[in-house]
């Protein structure tokens, strides 16, 4: 069991649920970090009394510093502030729940200090998965996935990040709010329609990713990196009920799956208690009421983002980093109503076609292609 937490992205959907888990498990929280939602961050600081609060936006950090003048909590800002929150000596576990590849450098900083990473921030693994996993091995830092599918795979592997007897991964997907629709029918969907997910309540960016199915594409790459498998070993299955959170097939044909109600509180808590388990508050899974579990192949024609991600996974090198950063930029524009829904995939495809893909990139090269891809999308629209 862990002793003290740092939560990066504490004001978001996963961050808030991580604080709830910390409270239930009675684990102290020593560092919090957010982008600019200082109203909520101030309330969190007053409740959890962390030693450090990091606010990426420096103007917002200044305001929070004034608001918290009566408390001992130190307020820091910028990327250095995030890294300080990820590196705090007394925390042995860092929940990476920021949205986007901004989580990469803080994650690497936590790994360098040998901390457990409760990893929600999938964009980090998509951008630099090989590097992150290699550094984790070098520093004996435990990576425990929070993403529900990857937690399911991890649990199905007996709480491990792989097995020499693993044949394939069955990665399940709800299909999102636009399942069954054509490209033409979704082209002009609005942000409000895209974020209305049938089974999960999540932050805006990942909700849009679920609607385009880029989320499953990012998870495809996340699974390759976490569990050291080749793209041919991963099969995506549409499973609208979100009960089977994913499964693994071993070389003898045995399939082991993890099932549960769709509630992120469970994988979050497991990442904190692993290799142990603790009781939770959730209703039990009632299989009698779920007799109609359904599985089908994904529609790559009408959900091109998934196809683009699977292709980037096969190309490797800098391709996943370009894909993820271009997608982040395009989703940001879509959420601000500056880009139609259908153009998200077009932006990602164009960025992948235009930016040179190289093999075996180092950290600086990955950060550079990330910036190039964002710039490309901002200029193309
Ligand atoms: P939200 O949008 O709800 O929250 C994002 C959090 O990140 C907020 O606390 C936000 O701060 C913070 N943040 C964003 N940018 C920065 C920055 N530059 N510096 C510091 N903090 C920043 O996202 P989710 O909680 O939904 O998702 C977080 C991550 O977890 C994503 O990578 C997502 O893919 C992954 N994930 C989420 C799941 C879910 O159910 N929500 C499921 C599986 C994975 P502020 O509030 O100030 O903007
Ligand atoms: Mg997921």
């Amino acid at each position: 069991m862990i002793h003290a937490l740092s939560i990066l992205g504490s004001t978001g959907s996963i961050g808030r649920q991580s604080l709830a888990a910390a409270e239930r498990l009675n684990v102290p929280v020593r560092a919090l970090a957010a982008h600019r939602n200082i109203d909520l961050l101030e309330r969190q600081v007053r409740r959890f009394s962390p030693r450090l609060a990091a606010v990426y936006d420096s103007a917002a950090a200044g305001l929070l510093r004034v608001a918290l003048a009566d408390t001992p909590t130190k307020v820091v800002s910028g990327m250095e502030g995030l890294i300080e929150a990820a590196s705090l000596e007394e925390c042995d576990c860092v929940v990476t729940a920021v949205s986007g590849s901004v989580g990469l450098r803080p994650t690497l900083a936590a790994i360098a200090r040998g901390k457990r990473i409760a990893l929600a921030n999938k964009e980090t693994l998509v951008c630099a998965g090989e590097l992150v996993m290699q550094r984790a091995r070098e520093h004996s830092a435990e990576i425990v996935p929070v993403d529900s599918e990857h937690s399911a795979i991890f649990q199905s592997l007996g709480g491990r990040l792989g097995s020499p007897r693993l044949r394939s991964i069955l990665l399940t997907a709800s299909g999102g709010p636009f399942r069954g629709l054509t490209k033409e029918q979704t082209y002009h969907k609005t942000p409000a329609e895209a974020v209305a997910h049938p089974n999960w309540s999540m932050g805006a960016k990942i909700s849009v990713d679920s609607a385009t199915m880029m989320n499953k594409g990012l998870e495809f790459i996340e699974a390759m990196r976490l569990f050291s498998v080749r793209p041919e070993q991963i099969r995506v299955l549409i499973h609208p009920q979100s009960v089977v959170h994913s499964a693994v097939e071993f070389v003898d044909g045995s399939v082991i799956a993890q099932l549960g109600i769709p509630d992120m509180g469970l994988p979050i808590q497991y990442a904190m208690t692993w290799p142990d388990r603790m009781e939770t508050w959730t209703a039990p899974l009632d299989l009698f009421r779920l007799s109609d579990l359904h599985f089908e192949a994904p529609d790559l024609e009408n959900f091109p983002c998934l196809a683009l991600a699977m292709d980037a996974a096969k190309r490797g090198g800098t391709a996943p980093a370009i894909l993820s950063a271009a997608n982040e930029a395009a989703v940001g524009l879509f959420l601000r109503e500056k880009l139609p829904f259908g153009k998200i995939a077009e932006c990602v495809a164009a960025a992948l076609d235009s930016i040179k893909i190289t093999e075996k990139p180092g950290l600086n090269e990955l950060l550079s292609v990330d910036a190039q891809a964002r710039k490309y999308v901002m200029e193309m629209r």
Side-chain angles (χ1 to χ4, degrees), residues 19-43:
L19 282 169
E23 212 158 33
R24 266 192 326 271
L25 298 170
N26 213 8
V27 180
V29 179
R30 300 286 187 233
L32 295 174
H35 187 190
R36 58 165 77 97
N37 183 355
I38 51 170
D39 290 344
L40 179 55
L41 193 56
E42 180 182 349
R43 290 201 296 280

Side-chain angles (χ1 to χ4, degrees), residues 288-347:
F288 289 110
R289 294 179 60 198
L290 293 167
S291 51
D292 193 18
L293 296 183
H294 180 76
F295 301 91
E296 64 189 38
D299 176 355
L300 297 179
E301 180 63 35
N302 285 306
F303 292 87
C305 281
L306 176 55
L308 287 167
M310 288 163 78
D311 189 51
K314 286 186 194 120
R315 290 164 87 172
T318 49
I322 296 169
L323 169 104
S324 182
N327 178 61
E328 254 191 86
V331 171
L333 289 170
F334 166 68
L335 284 169
R336 296 197 298 280
E337 299 185 2
K338 301 216 161 97
L339 195 80
F341 180 80
K343 224 170 164 196
I344 297 173
E346 293 172 23
C347 287

Side-chain angles (χ1 to χ4, degrees), residues 122 147-150 206 215-216 219:
K122 64 190 85 184
D147 210 347
S148 60
E149 296 77 1
H150 305 75
I206 184 175
N215 183 49
K216 209 47 54 179
E219 290 184 355

Side-chain angles (χ1 to χ4, degrees), residues 199-277:
N199 302 348
W200 302 93
S201 153
M202 310 178 285
K205 193 259 175 183
I206 184 175
S207 296
V208 176
D209 286 346
S210 297
T212 59
M213 288 207 66
M214 179 60 93
N215 183 49
K216 209 47 54 179
L218 300 178
E219 290 184 355
F220 188 101
I221 300 169
E222 183 185 9
M224 273 173 64
R225 301 302 180 226
L226 277 171
F227 304 108
S228 309
V229 293
R230 299 183 307 281
E232 315 79 76
Q233 288 176 279
I234 306 179
R235 258 170 47 213
V236 176
L237 287 82
I238 304 294
H239 168 48
Q241 294 82 12
S242 300
V243 169
V244 177
H245 293 315
S246 279
V248 297
E249 183 194 26
F250 289 98
V251 288
D252 60 358
S254 284
V255 174
I256 312 278
Q258 187 258 342
L259 282 66
I261 58 164
D263 183 333
M264 285 307 296
L266 304 181
I268 290 170
Q269 174 170 308
Y270 182 70
M272 294 178 187
T273 62
W274 172 82
D276 203 352
R277 291 180 185 275

Side-chain angles (χ1 to χ4, degrees), residues 52 71 77 79 209:
L52 197 72
T71 73
S77 73
M79 179 52 75
D209 286 346

Side-chain angles (χ1 to χ4, degrees), residues 111 138 143 250 270 312 335 352:
I111 287 173
E138 284 164 14
I143 309 268
F250 289 98
Y270 182 70
L335 284 169
L352 280 163

Side-chain angles (χ1 to χ4, degrees), residues 107-182:
T107 303
L108 289 174
I111 287 173
R113 283 159 188 80
K115 299 183 191 300
R116 175 183 301 186
I117 310 294
L119 191 139
N121 176 226
K122 64 190 85 184
E123 293 90 348
T124 278
L125 275 193
V126 175
C127 174
E130 282 165 314
L131 187 77
V132 168
M133 297 310 287
Q134 186 197 326
R135 298 255 176 108
R137 282 189 293 274
E138 284 164 14
H139 296 281
S140 304
E142 296 160 345
I143 309 268
V144 187
V146 165
D147 210 347
S148 60
E149 296 77 1
H150 305 75
S151 176
I153 297 161
F154 184 77
Q155 293 183 57
S156 300
L157 288 167
R160 288 194 299 267
L161 286 175
S163 160
R165 305 285 175 260
L166 175 64
R167 181 187 283 164
S168 66
I169 286 176
L170 309 176
L171 184 68
T172 53
S174 70
F178 302 153
R179 182 172 62 91
L181 301 184
T182 63

